[in-house]
Amino acid sequence: LQYLGDLDGARELLEAALQMDTRLLGPNRGAVAAQHLSLGYLALERKDDAEARRAFEQARAAYLVVLGPEHPDLAYVDKGLG
């Protein structure tokens, strides 16, 4: 939906998936971190900097637990945080 321009619809689906995965897997899992990351980039596209920062910080916290501080995937989070 994001690529079709339906940013609100994409946000709703990502948030629903995030809630489900967090409930089923717990907050510190790769899938949960990836959804926070996606929500962060979506928020940037929607020009919502505060929501983007929150999502990127949550992604970073989960990735640190799952992957460790030296993992290259953290670069995607750092890019989003600017």
Side-chain angles (χ1 to χ4, degrees):
L1 292 175
Q2 182 175 356
Y3 299 113
L4 297 174
D6 184 0
L7 302 182
D8 291 331
R11 179 182 177 201
E12 286 178 27
L13 290 178
L14 277 171
E15 287 180 347
L18 174 63
Q19 288 176 4
M20 182 174 52
D21 282 352
T22 301
R23 187 176 64 249
L24 294 172
L25 303 172
N28 294 319
R29 298 294 194 154
V32 172
Q35 289 168 350
H36 282 298
L37 185 65
S38 294
L39 281 166
Y41 280 109
L42 180 62
L44 285 180
E45 194 170 341
R46 293 175 48 246
K47 309 286 191 254
D48 188 340
D49 293 339
E51 183 176 332
R53 176 160 288 285
R54 180 191 56 79
F56 288 131
E57 288 174 351
Q58 289 176 318
R60 177 172 251 293
Y63 275 138
L64 284 173
V65 171
V66 174
L67 303 175
E70 301 298 320
H71 198 280
D73 281 357
L74 285 171
Y76 296 112
V77 178
D78 293 339
K79 180 182 175 190
L81 287 170

